[in-house]
Amino acid sequence: MAAAAMSFTAVPLTLYPDMFPGPLGHSMAGRALESGLWSCAPVQIRDFATDRHRTVDDTPAGGGAGMVLKADVLGRAIDHAAAAHPGLPLLAMTPRGAPITQARVRALATGPGAIILCGRFEGFDERIFDARPIEQLSMGDIILSGGEMAALLLLDACIRLLPGVMGAASSGDDESFEHGLIEYPHYTRPVTWEGRTIPEVLRSGDHAKIAAWRKQRAEEDTRLRRPDLWERHEGARDRPASGARQQKKDKRP
């Protein structure tokens, strides 16, 4: 019998482990969880506090509002998770992190899973990032009550890409951000609704024309709605390959 495929393991480090798998226990991700395509093993950070009050936070050094998660408690929780799940990358959900990209999601989805540190209060004692190899990630320029919702978003993005989760392996190939553009618009029956009709080209049966229309709309909509993406897309498209740059450089007198 062939060996079972390695499943993706999600290890959220959180003060609220009951939030996991949460919505990921339903629909496509839920079916994948039941079938063993991924697993979820949340860790309660408070279990690694050593005082009788199980204290996980303290006031900010230098003063200020709010509380900060303690480095010593976090360090013990991270070390426990890393020992229990060797080889998993360490991530932290924080607005100070690098914005997540679809490329990074795809890379994570091809790996064994991730240990995800979920922040609360004012955030983490910065020394934890000096002491442990943690990649800091952000889900955008917004502030959430805690890192759990961000971790759920990240996990959902990864899980749907795991082999066997989506019905067709190519289902995610043309979606927004996969090629540096937002996706083209979609339509379905009825052909006419409230006086609005599905574009004729989509009803033509001409696959070449349909592909050209979809490409044009993806480019137009990205340029109008997401000029930041369009600028990066245009820059990448105009940039010569490294070999071409080297060849051009070698020809200079």
Side-chain angles (χ1 to χ4, degrees):
M1 181 183 295
M6 182 184 297
S7 66
F8 181 96
T9 303
V11 186
L13 273 57
T14 171
L15 294 174
Y16 300 97
D18 290 344
M19 292 181 71
F20 296 91
L24 300 180
H26 302 274
S27 188
M28 188 166 59
R31 292 192 294 271
L33 182 63
E34 290 178 0
S35 63
L37 295 177
W38 73 286
S39 61
C40 189
V43 172
Q44 170 59 270
I45 294 172
R46 198 174 295 279
D47 289 345
F48 300 89
T50 56
D51 67 318
R52 68 188 180 96
H53 298 294
R54 302 174 74 198
T55 306
V56 297
D57 59 346
D58 207 336
T59 55
M67 303 291 280
V68 177
L69 287 168
K70 292 164 60 67
D72 54 344
V73 178
L74 293 174
R76 286 190 289 269
I78 290 168
D79 292 346
H80 167 84
H85 304 277
L88 297 191
L90 298 174
L91 312 177
M93 308 312 301
T94 167
R96 286 169 52 83
I100 191 69
T101 65
Q102 188 65 15
R104 186 68 186 105
V105 166
R106 277 202 171 274
L108 287 169
T110 61
I115 297 169
I116 308 177
L117 185 58
C118 302
R120 281 276 160 176
F121 317 124
E122 289 300 309
F124 311 102
D125 185 314
E126 187 69 15
R127 291 173 293 180
I128 197 65
F129 301 117
D130 298 329
R132 302 291 186 275
I134 303 170
E135 179 183 2
Q136 300 180 61
L137 294 175
S138 167
M139 299 307 291
D141 295 342
I142 57 173
I143 302 298
L144 301 172
S145 298
E148 289 80 10
M149 293 304 297
L152 288 167
L153 286 171
L154 176 61
L155 289 172
D156 181 71
C158 292
I159 290 163
R160 61 189 298 279
L161 297 180
L162 300 178
V165 174
M166 285 192 280
S170 61
S171 294
D173 289 351
D174 288 333
E175 294 181 322
S176 293
F177 315 120
E178 287 294 347
H179 304 288
L181 302 169
I182 61 174
E183 194 176 6
Y184 50 79
H186 293 278
Y187 301 86
T188 189
R189 289 181 287 270
V191 172
T192 301
W193 174 74
E194 292 190 354
R196 297 166 175 82
T197 303
I198 295 174
E200 184 177 352
V201 64
L202 299 180
R203 297 179 280 122
S204 68
D206 188 322
H207 297 295
K209 287 184 178 179
I210 291 171
W213 180 88
R214 285 174 170 171
K215 180 176 183 293
Q216 180 183 8
R217 280 302 306 267
E219 291 179 346
E220 288 178 355
D221 290 354
T222 302
R223 180 172 55 83
L224 293 173
R225 300 183 185 191
R226 289 293 305 274
D228 57 322
L229 280 181
W230 180 249
E231 185 175 348
R232 290 200 297 272
H233 174 73
E234 283 290 274
R237 191 165 65 175
D238 294 341
R239 192 180 304 125
S242 58
R245 288 199 301 270
Q246 184 63 45
Q247 188 176 41
K248 183 177 179 181
K249 182 177 179 181
D250 292 345
K251 287 182 178 180
R252 289 176 181 171

